[in-house]
Amino acid sequence: MADRSDTQPPEPSRRDPDLWFLPEIARVEAVRRRYDEPRYRVRDGELEEVYEAVEVTVETSEPFPQRALGPVLFVGPVELSESEQIGPARYRFYGYDVERLKDDAPIRLGWFGQPRPKGQTDLRFSLVDTRDDGRGRR
Amino acid sequence: MERSRDEVRLSEGKRVLSPPYLATPIYACGTIVNVLGFAPDARLDVELDGTIVAANFQAGAPYPVGAVVPLAAPLTVGQRLRARQKAFGITSGWSSPVLVRDHRLDFPAGLPRPEVDPPPVYECGSRTGVSNLLVGCNVWITADGVEVGRVNGAVAHQGVNVNPFYGLGQTVRAWADLCGDASPPSKAWQAERYPPPPPAPVITAPVAGSTAVVLDGIVNGARFDLTRGGVGVGTFRAWGGRFIVSGISPPFAAGESLSATQQLCPGDPTSPPATTVVQPCSALRAPGVGPIQRGDTVVTLTDFVPDARIRVYANGTKIGDGGGPVVLLSRALVAGDVVDVLQSVGSCTSNWVQELTVRCVDPPVGGSPVGLDLFPVGWLDYDAGTTSVLGLTLRVRGSVAYPAEDDGNGQPFNHRLAGLGRVPFAVLIHGNHDDNVPNFRGYDYFQEQLARMGIVAISIDENESSARSGASNIVERAQLGWASVRHFQALDGGGDPIFGGRIDFGRTGLMGHSRGGEAVVTMTKPAAPAPAGVTVVGVLALAPTDWGATNHEPVGYPFVTILPAGDGDVVSNNGALFYDKAHLDPYRCQLYVDNANHNFFNRQWLNDDARGVYPLISRTDHERILSAYGGAFFRNVLLGHDTVGYLEETVRPAGVLTAKVHISFQRTGSLIMDNHEDGNGIGLNSLGQSTSQTAGLTADECSFSQAGAPTFNNTFYGLTTGMVATTPRAGGTFRSRLAAPVDLTRREVRVRVGEVSDGGSPPAGSTGFKLGLETTTGAVFWVDSDGVGGVPRPFDRTAGTRLPRTKTMPSTLRFTASCFAAPRKVRIRAIRLRLDRGDNRALAFDDLEIVRV
């Protein structure tokens, strides 16, 4: 009787996106800004209005993967976890505790809730200027 | 395990013959009684209100349908039915009596919706299975609105022959009624073309002595011819899948050849033949047996020959004798009983028994919590324009599934259900993912399940929030969630033709996944206050994040979290923080699921977040876990159903890989002996009573968290304080006193326990302990943790490239009082935990409590 059974190895596993991929920082600019219309932060479970922040705009080599955790920007030991994507590979991080952000502090990218990445970085924090945004830009 | 019958000593003992049992519930207007569990070819007596109305009824095969005994007149409410069997010269006792009920009390909105089972249907289909039926109802099939088949007095899953056979493209539906009360129609199925020829069926070789043969692979509605030694046995119509031919005479003899072919449309080519040869009696194996635990009075079989006689022995003496799938026992099982289950067909008795030791706790398998299929489901996409959230302009939109008159888009709300009052409301919120994907559609299977139970279920499109991250983004998602709820409040209050006056926002349940999981907890906090008129009665957080949007304390509602052990995204399983801080209002539950990832609960999320480093259960099994436990939760909090047992693990949901699910559960009202949150040190428990450590055991209170202090090691990811105990040699014991002696009648001792991981691969072999009840006389009665399910193994995460730590994740073990073989009404003064494995492994303990059951 002819054997009519098929066989072959399993399909190779899909190469799903690496959720932990961190792009390189191509450019960074930090601006202190005041707002007519408030932004919001959460502190101790309470929602607070904020009218001033340091905005650190980062251009990256590639976009961050979309996932549950989000990117954070480390300015020295300070973690900026509030962010928004403003371009294909352009992100703005918001630092509300302005006084904690020290000039010349090293800048690194990381993932929220994860240890600060180690290693050298040439990027340093430097606040460009203070801008009032009469339009209350969001 | 299977053991040779030669190795066990089995005694027939007294003349034991199990009573049969009746398929329940039994409703008025039914004209049949369905009797099950009898020995093959037994004769049945059926008694109605003390009068035998069916005597010596020839029962035939006990499986798959059992005996359908016709009654002379329709049943009425309050009548009392029972049955007994006669076989092997013995008359059994009577089954437990069953009272006839009024179906309208259980189903005030009408009969449950019949299900064409299995689907789909095919051109020339000659028979259709219909399930989700009330026993005794009338069921019929229509094709393009014309009745083509009917059975009056149906069983729960009824086959209906159809004439004429289905034509191509016809719309086929099933209907049911009882007492003139009609069900909604089943889902509609179009008769499809099945390209001929159908495949050969598969015949399971029967053993000599059997009078039944099992065929699989039958195409739905096909007719098959069975031959025996080349001579036709008959032509059978079948619904798809498996068919059992019973009552074959004479019984099979070893070496006989059987053959079968199947065909759909007359004139089409038939299938290739399936062939098999009858096996000798020596091929009859032991049956498969479901979980059994102390107190069980039945044994449920998972695998058995359909026409087999099933005998059950406890410690060598027969205590049950009947037919599958359920055999009633002459006494309740006791923990430690050695149970042997044996099957025989005709004169052939298997050489093998299935042997199990009765565990103290091994919960039975119940029905599926989402098997409640009452209503057709209507669907709509909604778009309520825009709203302002945290200064952002965002769209308010998503999808809604609701109980309807019929399936489909924009169908009217089910008028019979509406006539009973407003229905509860479920809100589902997805997490952050590629915003080119309709992420909100990923829970459509769960929405459908909720809607067919009578719940309006919305899933909110929050893709516009994917551009932002941070705790404020969680608040944004939460507030956007309430915007959708306000939209439905407006529809409900504004006379919307579908939702006007339909929704009870006082029964609102929330489910969120990932960032949505944190968002739904935030929806109960001041940062995202609920609209007026909305009361949240339950929250389910599926793999939630912790961006810091809340204080981690779910309060004022029952809370459930599902944590995938193989989560490659939220690798810290942040939901454990929420579980540990959740108030007992009145309960909390955590499911830690081995071999599950973050994404596969959402059908739109296609990638494996862990990129293949962990072996995973299938996507379907992920969905079944959300369906079963989420369904049990929402049925309880939204519909008031008694389904908490699935969360408390006193019963397991059918069709779910429950061995992968490790549950922590705690409810209010228990006597908490020690939750280690008192700050009074290890020497005192939560009752302020002394503890002690003896025989070398060392125990101390530690933070079961990443950030607290002191910690035992860095493998704990919760937010609580517990106790870690170690002992260099077997026998080290921890003792915890009660403030006053306690009678454990109708109580359980529960403790949350986990094998402490060192972050690496777990060592080979499980560990455990013994829990002892110390009576007021000083006697101690012990039960081993293996007897109540065992301490779960840590899920090995070392293959991962990110946060490779294997976690310590405790789960709840239940020690029922009667497990301990202590004298009745004994009072206990202390509980002991003895680490007796001699493996020097640490165990983490928390939430030692005594629970009334």
Side-chain angles (χ1 to χ4, degrees):
Chain A
M1 181 177 73
D3 189 334
R4 303 187 68 235
S5 303
D6 189 10
T7 186
Q8 70 162 324
E11 293 220 323
S13 302
R14 300 159 47 115
R15 290 306 291 166
D16 286 314
D18 181 4
L19 297 184
W20 296 92
F21 167 73
L22 277 174
E24 301 290 325
I25 297 176
R27 189 166 173 271
V28 60
E29 179 189 62
V31 172
R32 187 168 184 159
R33 194 178 294 280
R34 296 192 184 93
Y35 308 108
D36 291 342
E37 297 294 328
R39 294 189 59 85
Y40 294 87
R41 69 182 296 186
V42 179
R43 185 142 54 175
D44 297 326
E46 302 285 335
L47 197 61
E48 292 182 351
E49 293 180 348
V50 284
Y51 290 88
E52 183 179 44
V54 169
E55 295 182 355
V56 185
T57 302
V58 174
E59 287 182 16
T60 56
S61 56
E62 294 177 56
F64 290 102
Q66 284 274 32
R67 55 178 295 190
L69 303 187
V72 296
L73 188 75
F74 289 96
V75 178
V78 180
E79 181 180 297
L80 306 187
S81 61
E82 297 281 329
S83 70
E84 65 182 316
Q85 185 173 6
I86 57 174
R90 203 155 177 260
Y91 299 85
R92 181 163 291 143
F93 293 86
Y94 295 87
Y96 299 119
D97 299 313
V98 173
E99 66 285 353
R100 296 180 62 207
L101 303 175
K102 306 299 184 190
D103 259 0
D104 207 41
I107 290 180
R108 292 184 179 86
L109 288 172
W111 288 109
F112 179 75
Q114 301 304 302
R116 184 158 40 123
K118 298 181 173 59
Q120 294 295 321
T121 174
D122 294 331
L123 297 165
R124 291 287 186 266
F125 179 76
S126 173
L127 201 57
V128 173
D129 60 11
T130 299
R131 295 177 189 170
D132 287 332
D133 187 337
R135 296 190 313 280
R137 181 170 66 88
R138 291 281 300 169
Chain B
M1 70 174 181
E2 276 195 272
R3 290 189 69 186
S4 168
R5 189 154 56 94
D6 294 337
E7 297 175 356
V8 297
R9 296 180 116 188
L10 303 177
S11 160
E12 297 301 298
K14 295 180 184 167
R15 288 160 56 82
V16 170
L17 181 65
S18 296
Y21 61 97
L22 306 181
T24 57
I26 300 178
Y27 292 110
C29 302
T31 55
I32 59 117
V33 169
N34 186 202
V35 184
L36 300 143
F38 49 84
D41 296 317
R43 294 186 178 273
L44 304 176
D45 292 338
V46 175
E47 182 190 89
L48 176 63
D49 285 343
T51 300
I52 293 179
V53 294
N56 296 313
F57 182 89
Q58 182 69 51
Y63 185 81
V65 177
V68 180
V69 181
L71 300 172
L75 294 167
T76 57
V77 175
Q79 287 184 307
R80 195 165 173 269
L81 283 157
R82 58 182 189 170
R84 66 183 176 189
Q85 65 168 324
K86 298 168 185 172
F88 321 118
I90 308 170
T91 299
S92 76
W94 289 100
S95 64
S96 296
V98 177
L99 286 180
V100 177
R101 297 174 55 79
D102 181 351
H103 77 274
R104 287 167 296 198
L105 294 180
D106 294 339
F107 304 103
L111 265 65
R113 185 185 199 198
E115 294 178 1
V116 170
D117 184 6
V121 297
Y122 296 109
E123 180 188 14
C124 302
S126 64
R127 181 173 172 85
T128 295
V130 184
S131 66
N132 204 36
L133 297 172
L134 301 187
V135 173
C137 74
N138 306 317
V139 58
W140 66 98
I141 305 271
T142 60
D144 286 347
V146 176
E147 183 174 316
V148 292
R150 168 182 285 267
V151 172
N152 290 332
V155 292
H157 191 175
Q158 178 67 54
V160 181
N161 289 344
V162 298
N163 294 292
F165 302 166
Y166 298 130
L168 181 65
Q170 283 194 307
T171 298
V172 175
R173 305 194 84 158
W175 311 74
D177 74 10
L178 186 66
C179 292
D181 189 12
S183 74
S186 73
K187 180 177 173 180
W189 295 94
Q190 310 301 126
E192 306 170 13
R193 175 79 172 142
Y194 194 103
V202 176
I203 310 177
T204 299
V207 295
S210 178
T211 59
V213 61
V214 177
L215 293 92
D216 288 287
I218 304 296
V219 175
N220 200 13
R223 287 159 299 120
F224 68 89
D225 292 317
L226 179 67
T227 67
R228 174 183 185 179
V231 177
V233 173
T235 300
F236 301 84
R237 302 187 187 200
W239 77 54
R242 170 168 289 192
F243 190 96
I244 299 172
V245 180
S246 303
I248 292 178
S249 180
F252 291 119
E256 283 194 74
S257 63
L258 301 176
S259 173
T261 58
Q262 63 175 327
Q263 181 190 49
L264 264 167
C265 290
D268 275 355
T270 61
S271 74
T275 60
T276 195
V277 174
V278 176
Q279 296 298 296
C281 178
S282 58
L284 181 60
R285 305 295 302 189
V289 180
I292 49 176
Q293 64 180 357
R294 173 221 68 82
D296 280 354
T297 55
V298 304
V299 164
T300 302
L301 288 93
T302 56
D303 181 27
F304 57 99
V305 174
D307 61 333
R309 174 187 182 188
I310 305 293
R311 281 173 278 183
V312 182
Y313 302 83
N315 307 318
T317 300
K318 189 171 76 171
I319 60 168
D321 192 339
V326 177
V327 178
L328 275 60
L329 307 177
S330 59
R331 67 157 174 89
L333 293 171
V334 173
D337 276 346
V338 175
V339 171
D340 293 293
V341 185
L342 174 69
Q343 64 178 344
S344 53
V345 283
S347 58
C348 169
T349 299
S350 174
N351 293 326
W352 300 90
V353 297
Q354 189 69 241
E355 183 165 281
L356 307 88
T357 300
V358 176
R359 283 180 158 183
C360 193
V361 174
D362 197 357
V365 177
S368 166
V370 287
L372 186 65
D373 182 3
L374 303 178
F375 307 106
V377 176
W379 283 93
L380 276 175
D381 282 354
Y382 67 91
D383 188 335
T386 60
T387 190
S388 176
V389 173
L390 302 186
L392 301 163
T393 300
L394 301 175
R395 298 203 70 87
V396 180
R397 56 190 178 186
S399 69
V400 57
Y402 57 95
E405 281 295 300
D406 205 345
D407 300 310
N409 219 44
Q411 291 287 338
F413 201 94
N414 187 281
H415 77 277
R416 285 191 68 172
L417 179 61
L420 297 176
R422 291 167 175 271
V423 303
F425 193 59
V427 179
L428 313 183
I429 299 183
H430 66 81
N432 200 51
H433 200 79
D434 181 355
D435 60 358
N436 293 307
V437 167
N439 298 298
F440 69 104
R441 300 201 189 282
Y443 314 104
D444 53 4
Y445 64 96
F446 192 44
Q447 284 179 274
E448 173 116 6
Q449 290 160 347
L450 295 176
R452 70 186 195 181
M453 294 181 201
I455 298 168
V456 174
I458 69 171
S459 183
I460 301 172
D461 182 354
E462 301 214 340
N463 274 2
E464 286 185 319
S465 295
S466 66
R468 289 168 290 282
S469 290
S472 65
N473 181 245
I474 302 300
V475 175
E476 171 189 331
R477 292 168 186 267
Q479 293 192 5
L480 186 59
W482 286 133
S484 272
V485 174
R486 280 193 292 273
H487 169 63
F488 278 87
Q489 285 184 300
L491 296 178
D492 175 85
D496 180 78
I498 294 177
F499 298 108
R502 299 287 183 244
I503 303 175
D504 179 4
F505 294 96
R507 287 184 289 161
T508 296
L510 308 178
M511 188 214 87
H513 184 189
S514 193
R515 291 194 195 183
E518 188 178 1
V520 291
V521 177
T522 306
M523 289 167 79
T524 67
K525 299 296 181 185
V534 175
T535 302
V536 173
V537 296
V539 173
L540 192 163
L542 170 58
T545 56
D546 177 31
W547 282 91
T550 75
N551 61 355
H552 305 114
E553 283 191 39
V555 57
Y557 48 83
F559 175 75
V560 175
T561 187
I562 299 176
L563 308 181
D567 198 323
D569 194 337
V570 184
V571 293
S572 301
N573 287 136
N574 295 131
L577 310 175
F578 295 103
Y579 173 82
D580 281 342
K581 302 314 285 185
H583 291 218
L584 303 181
D585 289 330
Y587 62 82
R588 63 184 180 185
C589 178
Q590 173 183 288
L591 283 66
Y592 187 62
V593 186
D594 291 344
N595 304 102
N597 72 6
H598 186 81
N599 282 355
F600 282 4
F601 298 94
N602 181 315
R603 284 190 176 173
Q604 299 290 332
W605 295 1
L606 303 182
N607 61 302
D608 173 13
D609 38 280
R611 302 189 88 203
V613 298
Y614 306 123
L616 295 179
I617 59 177
S618 72
R619 177 180 286 276
T620 302
D621 285 315
H622 282 74
E623 294 178 6
R624 286 188 181 137
I625 286 169
L626 175 59
S627 292
Y629 294 100
F633 179 59
F634 280 130
R635 283 184 64 177
N636 174 246
V637 300
L638 297 180
L639 298 174
H641 292 176
D642 184 17
T643 48
V644 179
Y646 293 99
L647 304 173
E648 206 163 10
E649 213 173 14
T650 56
V651 61
R652 296 177 175 133
V656 171
L657 297 177
T658 52
K660 298 289 185 186
V661 181
H662 308 298
I663 297 179
S664 297
F665 183 92
Q666 200 176 15
R667 56 175 151 99
T668 191
S670 63
L671 175 62
I672 296 176
M673 287 191 65
D674 211 341
N675 63 11
H676 305 283
E677 301 285 338
D678 312 288
N680 57 6
I682 192 64
L684 294 175
N685 60 25
S686 296
L687 300 174
Q689 300 300 305
S690 62
T691 68
S692 64
Q693 304 168 27
T694 57
L697 180 137
T698 305
D700 204 354
E701 291 182 334
C702 308
S703 179
F704 285 8
S705 73
Q706 288 288 293
T711 56
F712 182 81
N713 65 22
N714 62 1
T715 65
F716 294 81
Y717 285 81
L719 195 60
T720 189
T721 304
M723 175 181 85
V724 175
T726 59
T727 183
R729 57 184 185 277
T733 300
F734 184 86
R735 179 178 181 271
S736 191
R737 279 182 62 96
L738 287 153
V742 171
D743 179 352
L744 284 191
T745 304
R746 284 190 296 277
R747 283 171 171 78
E748 295 181 351
V749 177
R750 296 184 183 178
V751 62
R752 204 170 170 223
V753 57
E755 177 181 342
V756 176
S757 165
D758 64 3
S761 291
S766 61
T767 187
F769 66 99
K770 285 186 168 57
L771 188 142
L773 303 182
E774 180 184 315
T775 70
T776 51
T777 64
V780 184
F781 297 87
W782 298 97
V783 169
D784 196 279
S785 57
D786 286 349
V788 297
V791 178
R793 303 305 318 279
F795 179 75
D796 190 346
R797 285 184 59 95
T798 56
T801 55
R802 298 287 171 173
L803 204 74
R805 277 181 228 130
T806 296
K807 301 186 178 81
T808 301
M809 194 66 80
S811 57
T812 302
L813 294 185
R814 300 167 38 230
F815 294 79
T816 58
S818 54
C819 289
F820 288 87
R824 285 171 60 88
K825 296 190 180 299
V826 72
R827 292 158 69 79
I828 66 161
R829 65 186 185 192
I831 288 177
R832 300 189 186 194
L833 304 171
R834 186 167 73 192
L835 277 59
D836 64 348
R837 297 303 199 260
D839 56 15
N840 204 19
R841 287 193 224 168
L843 288 175
F845 294 95
D846 198 6
D847 296 331
L848 176 65
E849 57 182 4
I850 297 174
V851 179
R852 190 180 185 92
V853 293

